[in-house]
Amino acid sequence: SYSPIFQVLVAHQEDAAGGADAPGLRAEMIPEPGTTSQFDLSVHVRETDAGARVTFEYAVALFTRDTIAELGRTLSAALDEATRAPQTPIGRLRFLGAGEETALLHAWNGGDGPAIGTRNVVQRVAAVAQAMPDRAAVEERTTDESGRVLPGRVLTYRALLARASAIGEALSARSLASESLIALVLDRQADFVAACLAAWQAGLTVLPLDPRQPAARTAAILADAGPSLLVHAGAVDEVMADQCAVPALDVRALPVAGAARMPRSVHAETLAYVLYTSGSTGQPKGVQITHGALASFLGAIEKKLPLVPGDELLAVTTFTFDIAWLELLLPLVRGATTVLLDHASAVDPVRLAAAIDAGETRLMQATPSHWRMLVDSGWRGAEQLVIVCGGERMDTGLSEDLLAR
C-alpha cells in the first residue's frame, strides 16, 4: 500500500546504559525482526555503548535485497568520509568508488544522446527553414462550442523566422545584457515561439507566464525572477503588465517581418529559459534550463518520437509546464508542424476530439487525466495518432483503453 503523507522514515534512538536495570535484574533489548514494512523505506539507527546499529526496513514490491545492500554500503562510505573530514560541506564529499561514479554518470545515464555543443534550437530551426521554407511551422487551432474547427493563423518556416527577426530587432533595441530574463505572456500564440527564437538569438533568457494562473502566483514569480522586460500582446496581458514594474513590449505594434539574420552559436551553458515549480512545498522556485540541456533533451527525445516533415503535433500543455517544450520545439527541429490548440478546446473533450480529427495529427502528449477525459467522452481514437502519456501515474486500464483506439 502507498503511504500518502510520506514514504521514507528515518528514526534515531539512543539507548541509556543500564536504564532499565533493577537490583538482581539485568534488562537487555533484543531486536525483533519485522515481517511487514509500514512505509516504502525505513532506516532505524540505534546507538549503544558498543556503537551504532542501522536497520533497513523496506517494501519488497519496490526494492530488492541487493538494492538495499548497496544503499547500506553507500551510507557507510558517506559516514566514513564525513567523519574523516567533518568540516567538508556535504556537497563536496566524495564517497563513491570510481566504478560507481562511472556507472551513475555514464553507463546508467543515457549515453546515446547528443554531446554538449550540439547545434542549438535556433540553428536547427534555421536549417529546416532553409531546406523547406514554405512548409507550415506553427499553426494556431481553435474550435467553437459545437466542435467546429475554425481557421487559424499559420506561419511557414520562412514566416516564423521573419517574425522572430522582427521581435529580435525590438529586443536588440533595448540593449539588454546577455542572459537577461524576459517574461513572455503570449498564451497559445505563434508569437510565443517566434519570441523564444528571437530571445535566444539575442542571447536572452525566457520566462513563460500563464495569464490564467492566480494573480498571487504571478506576482510572486515576477518579484522573485525580476525580469528586465515583459513581452505581451495586449488584452488580458495588460493586466499582468501592470503587476510588473519593468518595461513592456507589445508585439502587436511590431512589423510582421524583420530582416533575415544568420543564427549565431550559443554556449551550451547559456540559459535558455526558466520555469517555476508549483510551490506545493513552499514558495515557487525558478529552475534554470541551459541551451545544452535543451539541445540534449530534443536530441534524445527525437530518437523515441520520430517526426517527419508533414506531421503535426497537437500541443495542449500550458507553456509554463516543462513538457510543453517538447510540444513546441520537437516538430520544428524535424520539419514538422506545431499546432497550438487554444485552452478552451484543450480542456473540452468534444472540442479536443474535433481538433485531433481536423488535421493530420500524428502525435499528442497529455497527462493520464487528460487522456481519461477524452476516452470517457466517447472518443473513438485516431489510427495514425502516436499517444504520449506522462506527468502522472498511468493505470493499466487507461493504457488498454487507448490501445483499443
Side-chain angles (χ1 to χ4, degrees), residues 15 53-54 72 76 93 150 165 187 192 204 207 211 238 241 266 313:
D15 288 349
R53 178 185 179 88
V54 180
S76 178
L93 292 176
L150 306 176
S165 292
D187 190 48
F192 180 90
L204 304 175
L207 171 67
E238 290 178 351
V266 178
L313 186 153

Side-chain angles (χ1 to χ4, degrees), residues 42-95:
S42 299
V43 183
H44 298 277
V45 182
R46 178 184 167 216
E47 283 195 52
T48 67
D49 292 339
R53 178 185 179 88
V54 180
T55 304
F56 292 91
E57 184 180 278
Y58 59 95
V60 295
L62 300 175
F63 302 99
T64 66
R65 186 182 183 88
D66 289 343
T67 299
I68 296 300
E70 182 62 32
L71 178 61
R73 286 191 291 270
T74 302
L75 177 60
S76 178
L79 292 174
D80 286 343
E81 184 69 16
T83 54
R84 277 196 295 268
Q87 303 303 319
T88 304
I90 292 177
R92 295 182 183 176
L93 292 176
R94 301 295 296 272
F95 49 84

Side-chain angles (χ1 to χ4, degrees), residues 13-379:
Q13 178 181 354
E14 294 184 3
D15 288 349
D21 291 347
L25 177 68
R26 184 174 65 87
E28 180 181 352
M29 183 176 291
I30 301 176
E32 180 182 1
T35 58
T36 60
S37 178
Q38 291 181 294
F39 308 104
D40 292 359
L41 175 65
S42 299
V43 183
H44 298 277
V45 182
R46 178 184 167 216
E47 283 195 52
T48 67
D49 292 339
R53 178 185 179 88
V54 180
T55 304
F56 292 91
E57 184 180 278
Y58 59 95
V60 295
L62 300 175
F63 302 99
T64 66
R65 186 182 183 88
D66 289 343
T67 299
I68 296 300
E70 182 62 32
L71 178 61
R73 286 191 291 270
T74 302
L75 177 60
S76 178
L79 292 174
D80 286 343
E81 184 69 16
T83 54
R84 277 196 295 268
Q87 303 303 319
T88 304
I90 292 177
R92 295 182 183 176
L93 292 176
R94 301 295 296 272
F95 49 84
L96 295 178
E100 293 175 304
E101 189 167 298
T102 298
L104 286 172
L105 296 179
H106 303 289
W108 299 349
N109 194 32
D112 59 347
I116 295 298
T118 302
R119 288 183 303 169
N120 62 56
V121 171
V122 179
Q123 290 172 314
R124 292 195 63 183
V125 175
V128 173
Q130 186 174 17
M132 48 190 75
D134 297 320
R135 188 175 295 277
V138 183
E139 174 190 338
E140 297 174 1
R141 184 173 296 175
T142 186
T143 65
D144 61 19
E145 293 183 356
S146 68
R148 183 169 60 96
V149 178
L150 306 176
R153 181 186 184 193
V154 178
L155 292 183
T156 65
Y157 278 89
R158 187 202 313 272
L160 175 63
L161 290 192
R163 183 60 174 160
S165 292
I167 297 174
E169 290 170 3
L171 293 177
S172 297
R174 303 276 175 156
S175 300
L176 300 175
S178 178
E179 292 190 283
S180 291
L181 199 61
I182 62 168
L184 300 185
V185 195
L186 299 166
D187 190 48
R188 318 310 299 168
Q189 298 179 41
D191 274 346
F192 180 90
V193 181
C196 286
L197 297 178
W200 295 335
Q201 178 66 10
L204 304 175
T205 304
V206 168
L207 171 67
L209 294 176
D210 184 353
R212 288 180 301 277
Q213 68 187 5
R217 173 176 168 83
T218 298
I221 290 175
L222 291 173
D224 182 71
S228 299
L229 183 69
L230 189 142
V231 181
H232 65 98
V236 66
D237 301 338
E238 290 178 351
V239 176
M240 190 176 293
D242 290 340
Q243 299 177 357
C244 188
V246 297
L249 173 64
D250 189 340
V251 295
R252 297 172 303 173
L254 302 179
V256 174
R261 297 184 176 192
M262 287 295 293
R264 71 174 193 171
S265 61
V266 178
H267 193 278
E269 294 304 311
T270 300
L271 292 182
Y273 58 91
V274 174
L275 298 181
Y276 270 75
T277 62
S278 64
S280 57
T281 59
Q283 290 295 321
K285 301 174 183 63
V287 179
Q288 300 174 323
I289 308 300
T290 64
H291 280 282
L294 179 58
S296 182
F297 167 69
L298 292 174
I301 203 67
E302 66 183 320
K303 295 181 180 180
K304 306 293 184 181
L305 302 173
L307 292 172
V308 299
D311 284 345
E312 292 182 355
L313 186 153
L314 188 64
V316 299
T317 306
T318 176
F319 298 156
T320 56
F321 283 21
D322 53 358
I323 200 64
W325 298 84
L326 178 155
E327 300 177 356
L328 292 169
L329 301 175
L330 179 61
L332 301 182
V333 300
R334 300 291 301 174
T337 305
T338 297
V339 180
L340 301 175
L341 188 62
D342 71 291
H343 176 72
S345 299
V347 298
D348 184 304
V350 174
R351 297 169 70 170
L352 177 56
I356 294 173
D357 297 337
E360 296 297 326
T361 303
R362 175 62 174 158
L363 192 150
M364 178 178 140
Q365 187 287 140
T367 62
S369 301
H370 216 130
W371 287 114
R372 173 53 66 191
M373 174 191 74
L374 198 56
V375 168
D376 289 348
S377 73
W379 177 60

